[in-house]
Amino acid sequence: MMNETGAGDNVVIRIRGLVNAFGDEVIHDHIDLDVVRGEVMGVVGGSGSGKSVLLRSIVGLNHPVSGSIKVFGRETADTESENLKGLQLRWGVLFQEGALFSSQTVAQNIQVPMRRWTHMSQQLMDELTAMKLSLVGLPADAALKFPSELSGGMKKRAGLARALALDPELLFLDEPTSGLDPISGSQFDELLRELQQSLGLTVFMVTHDLDTLRATCDRIAVLVNRKITVGTLKTLAANSDPWIHEYFSGVRGRAALNA
Amino acid sequence: MRNLTPTIVVASPATLRVQDQGRVVRVTAGGDWIVAEAPRLEGMLRGLRFGEARDAEIDASAIELLDSAGAWLLVRTKRELEHGGRKVAKFTVPERYTNLVETIDRDDISPCEGMHHPRPTIQQFLERIGRATFSALRQAYAMTGFLGRVTVETSEALVAPRRELPFAALVHQIEETGLTALPIVGMLAFLLGIVLAYQGADQLKRFDAQIYTIDFLGVGFLRELGGLVTAIIVAGRSGSAFTAQIGTMRVNEETDAMQTIGLNITEILVVPRVLGLMIALPILTFFADVVGIIGGMVMTYFHLGITIPAFMRELEGAITLKTLLVGLVKAPVFAFVIALVGCFEGMRVEKNAASVGLLTTRSVVESIFLIIALDAGFSILFSVLGI
């Protein structure tokens, strides 16, 4: 859909010269990346290549060594957390295991962002909670369950409902389909695509799932050797880098591409 | 909760108008119908009266921004109109939002009871008491089962070891629970000896019988306090460690892995801990007895001016070997209880991190409670037996 970096103010996330390192080990070496409004950007890479670190840097949970990350034009790479204020209601984050607050029910979890940022009546919050649950495909009675009573797939859906609580423009997903069976995984892909289109979301997704990449992503960023390469499935399959080539043209990659 | 207005900028505030034209009621919506406007919109919608009209029209084509919260409010309004027996003939939204509105309108959405803090009733209060009682009884039942199992496995390991006794694990446990506890146990026993001697000396001064401080100290420390304090420290130190160690292994599914390989969890995890602590705690108790009496001796030397040989003579007259043994014989029992409770609660950990912390706390509280209760039992028993 979009092959080149988008123009001007349509860029939701703009990363320039990002360097992340833990001790002597450099994870990201001067990375540049633009995520354009309304696109689904998939991020792949080997284990330990810094996919999750990249996501955490963007949302301000990890402070990079140097470089600039702008989300909606606001710097998040700064250690100054004041900068993040107000951004939190424009983005939603789904963590790998859902990261639901274990002492609260699913409904209370979904209402946490609503209470923090709006002054809605309890009645309206309950209605919106029921609506979000139906959006992510959870039964209404899941609202009263505690996270420990949910299966892995349901936790992810509940986490997504919480991430969507305030109708954010930007959605971060950390391995949304990992640990799901293929059927639940493809249901999640469909759900994501449908939500993305009807709500007009911009999605930044870390994933390993080639089927998810094919089904949902407009562009894909590959983290290899501390650098980033951006393209579509087709252009990346033709890439000369051995890792990228293997990833997208290996047996599993081909099967997913031809599906 | 802090009262922060959302920093989202509402470009054009949401508008809502109702025109009652006799046969048709027309609802017109415009502006930004987004979550930031939802509280205001809700207030406006609540105040609406749709009149007697049989037909209704919703014209939302002037809406500039719509998100799922706004879409829900539109859909809800439509449903309310229909619920009142009206026919919604027209429902127009901007082209780009038809998808969203259809998605929201697809399901029958109704919030279920108790979605927010359910108000506790007297019934629920009674229910909680009942549940707590049953869970306590069930726990006692399960603990008894575990007690039997550990007793059998431990005796088997001692009497007829299927393989060699896990000697390395046993020594490791003795080091972990015994050797490394020496500084803290010694420190506290020493201080307690001083405290006890001070209290005794102050009371006995009234009868001019300060020399009996030594009898009081010797008998009190050897029979009761040394063992009790050591057991309580070890319960806090090692009992909690047992629960946390075994609990973490359960969270990581390590215990499940052991089972599938065909290893006996009780034999590998519980037996070395039980035996190790049963060996370590009597030694620790003896150590605490000695250090506690030294603490008292230091105090009587400086405060009462009793020389060390005089102290020794008096002590010899006050205590016998039996006094020491009465205190020491309780230590293996305390050790067994601490290890049993620690391992039992560790085995009950569920596959979430919060469960480890919860059960670790519970393990310490339970074992300290049981130690003191058992100590009281011992006192009664010894008094009946005339020991």
Side-chain angles (χ1 to χ4, degrees):
Chain A
M1 215 157 119
M2 267 169 270
N3 276 316
E4 54 217 327
T5 44
D9 56 349
N10 243 351
V11 178
V12 178
I13 306 173
R14 182 187 296 276
I15 302 177
R16 289 291 176 268
L18 177 72
V19 179
N20 264 311
F22 293 118
D24 287 337
E25 197 186 348
V26 177
I27 310 283
H28 302 135
D29 184 11
H30 295 92
I31 282 178
D32 295 342
L33 180 68
D34 284 330
V35 178
V36 185
R37 190 178 295 278
E39 77 171 333
V40 179
M41 170 70 85
V43 179
V44 299
S47 303
S49 60
K51 306 180 292 292
S52 293
V53 177
L54 181 61
L55 190 154
R56 291 174 63 87
S57 302
I58 297 173
V59 297
L61 288 173
N62 182 68
H63 301 304
V65 176
S66 71
S68 135
I69 302 173
K70 286 205 161 114
V71 180
F72 299 116
R74 308 257 295 274
E75 186 68 50
T76 61
D78 233 310
T79 44
E80 201 58 53
S81 63
E82 272 302 289
N83 266 340
L84 295 178
K85 213 156 107 188
L87 275 180
Q88 291 105 336
L89 83 170
R90 299 181 70 182
W91 73 35
V93 185
L94 170 61
F95 289 91
Q96 218 177 94
E97 306 291 335
L100 295 168
F101 306 127
S102 52
S103 59
Q104 299 183 319
T105 61
V106 169
Q108 287 170 332
N109 261 283
I110 297 172
Q111 293 177 4
V112 169
M114 300 183 188
R115 283 180 208 284
R116 171 63 182 85
W117 292 106
T118 71
H119 303 284
M120 284 185 266
S121 68
Q122 187 62 52
Q123 164 74 22
L124 182 58
M125 282 200 280
D126 287 351
E127 285 173 16
L128 289 181
T129 305
M131 185 266 284
K132 303 283 168 182
L133 285 174
S134 115
L135 265 188
V136 299
L138 280 175
D141 63 352
L144 302 184
K145 292 203 166 122
F146 284 93
S148 55
E149 299 169 304
L150 300 179
S151 70
M154 289 172 89
K155 268 186 211 169
K156 292 209 165 162
R157 283 166 189 267
L160 184 63
R162 187 180 69 185
L164 292 172
L166 289 175
D167 281 292
E169 302 152 65
L170 174 59
L171 191 61
F172 292 96
L173 307 171
D174 195 354
E175 307 220 9
T177 53
S178 76
L180 297 188
D181 65 76
I183 297 171
S184 309
S186 62
Q187 280 172 353
F188 200 95
D189 293 344
E190 259 172 57
L191 167 73
L192 180 65
R193 197 73 209 172
E194 192 183 305
L195 287 178
Q196 191 263 335
Q197 274 161 4
S198 46
L199 300 175
L201 298 169
T202 309
V203 181
F204 182 93
M205 170 166 57
V206 170
T207 185
H208 257 313
D209 192 331
L210 282 158
D211 294 315
T212 305
L213 285 175
R214 184 182 56 80
T216 58
C217 294
D218 298 314
R219 289 196 302 156
I220 296 164
V222 191
L223 278 163
V224 182
N225 293 330
R226 301 180 286 279
K227 292 287 191 189
I228 208 161
T229 311
V230 183
T232 61
L233 269 181
K234 288 218 160 50
T235 61
L236 286 170
N239 194 286
S240 60
D241 182 280
W243 195 91
I244 299 177
H245 188 77
E246 181 61 30
Y247 192 97
F248 290 99
S249 334
V251 180
R252 297 215 242 166
R254 259 203 317 278
L257 277 172
N258 294 336
Chain B
M1 201 189 313
R2 276 173 299 171
N3 192 6
L4 274 173
T5 29
T7 41
I8 220 165
V9 186
V10 181
S12 54
T15 60
L16 178 68
R17 208 150 50 97
V18 177
Q19 292 163 287
D20 194 349
Q21 303 167 322
R23 281 186 51 246
V24 183
V25 59
R26 187 195 300 272
V27 180
T28 320
D32 291 353
W33 279 53
I34 54 177
V35 70
E37 287 282 81
R40 210 167 60 81
L41 274 170
E42 205 212 358
M44 287 155 72
L45 285 166
R46 193 175 291 150
L48 287 189
R49 294 287 172 271
F50 298 121
E52 296 295 310
R54 302 299 303 158
D55 288 308
E57 285 176 9
I58 299 177
D59 181 9
S61 51
I63 280 183
E64 283 160 42
L65 259 179
L66 186 69
D67 66 9
S68 71
W72 163 247
L73 288 173
L74 279 179
V75 168
R76 194 183 75 174
T77 311
K78 187 190 112 192
R79 289 183 184 177
E80 266 170 25
L81 284 167
E82 284 170 347
H83 194 71
R86 298 176 193 83
K87 198 167 156 288
V88 179
K90 262 210 253 169
F91 183 38
T92 46
V93 291
E95 172 84 45
R96 59 188 184 282
Y97 293 127
T98 47
N99 235 338
L100 171 63
V101 173
E102 271 166 25
T103 312
I104 305 280
D105 204 7
R106 201 176 40 197
D107 294 309
D108 180 30
I109 295 161
S110 57
C112 36
E113 275 302 302
M115 226 176 213
H116 48 283
H117 308 288
R119 202 151 290 161
T121 59
I122 186 88
Q123 224 176 332
Q124 283 168 330
F125 177 69
L126 291 175
E127 186 188 318
R128 269 179 66 183
I129 294 178
R131 275 185 199 283
T133 312
F134 266 94
S135 105
L137 288 176
R138 257 202 303 272
Q139 171 150 7
Y141 179 75
M143 177 98 88
T144 314
F146 190 71
L147 168 74
R149 183 151 158 204
V150 170
T151 312
V152 170
E153 298 261 356
T154 311
S155 336
E156 262 183 13
L158 284 175
V159 177
R162 252 166 293 172
R163 284 180 299 277
E164 266 178 65
L165 201 69
F167 195 66
L170 188 65
V171 172
H172 176 74
Q173 288 303 331
I174 295 176
E175 184 192 337
E176 277 292 297
T177 57
L179 196 64
T180 54
L182 285 178
I184 179 79
V185 169
M187 183 72 166
L188 288 176
F190 186 81
L191 292 175
L192 207 65
I194 293 177
V195 171
L196 212 59
Y198 260 109
Q199 292 308 319
D202 277 358
Q203 295 304 315
L204 292 167
K205 203 162 100 184
R206 291 192 286 181
F207 310 105
D208 210 16
Q210 278 155 314
I211 189 73
Y212 290 114
T213 303
I214 298 163
D215 300 54
F216 171 69
L217 179 78
V219 175
F221 220 94
L222 295 194
R223 274 191 79 116
E224 284 296 332
L225 273 175
L228 202 58
V229 166
T230 313
I232 288 173
I233 295 169
V234 169
R237 213 180 153 271
S238 302
S240 60
F242 290 173
T243 309
Q245 286 160 359
I246 295 177
T248 312
M249 292 179 81
R250 283 198 60 86
V251 173
N252 288 341
E253 297 185 307
E254 286 172 57
T255 49
D256 296 346
M258 290 169 119
Q259 252 173 324
T260 57
I261 293 169
L263 301 172
N264 183 338
I265 300 174
T266 321
E267 187 185 307
I268 290 180
L269 295 179
V270 182
V271 170
R273 288 183 166 82
V274 171
L275 284 181
L277 200 61
M278 283 175 79
I279 295 170
L281 193 61
I283 301 174
L284 273 179
T285 304
F286 181 73
F287 174 71
D289 287 347
V290 173
V291 178
I293 287 178
I294 292 174
M297 189 160 69
V298 169
M299 180 269 161
T300 48
Y301 180 80
F302 285 107
H303 191 66
L304 304 177
I306 299 171
T307 61
I308 291 168
F311 183 95
M312 284 307 196
R313 260 198 313 281
E314 182 63 31
L315 190 67
E316 222 181 314
I319 60 169
T320 59
L321 185 64
K322 202 180 79 184
T323 323
L324 176 73
L325 289 182
V326 164
L328 283 185
V329 82
K330 293 186 279 187
V333 181
F334 291 162
F336 188 75
V337 167
I338 295 169
L340 189 79
V341 171
C343 294
F344 174 73
E345 296 296 351
M347 291 291 192
R348 276 163 37 102
V349 166
E350 286 158 33
K351 282 193 182 61
N352 60 68
S355 157
V356 179
L358 189 77
L359 287 171
T360 305
T361 317
R362 186 181 292 174
S363 138
V364 175
V365 174
E366 272 172 5
S367 48
I368 290 179
F369 167 78
L370 284 174
I371 286 166
I372 295 177
L374 273 175
D375 195 50
F378 271 120
S379 294
I380 297 169
L381 182 71
F382 289 151
S383 139
V384 169
L385 294 178
I387 297 174

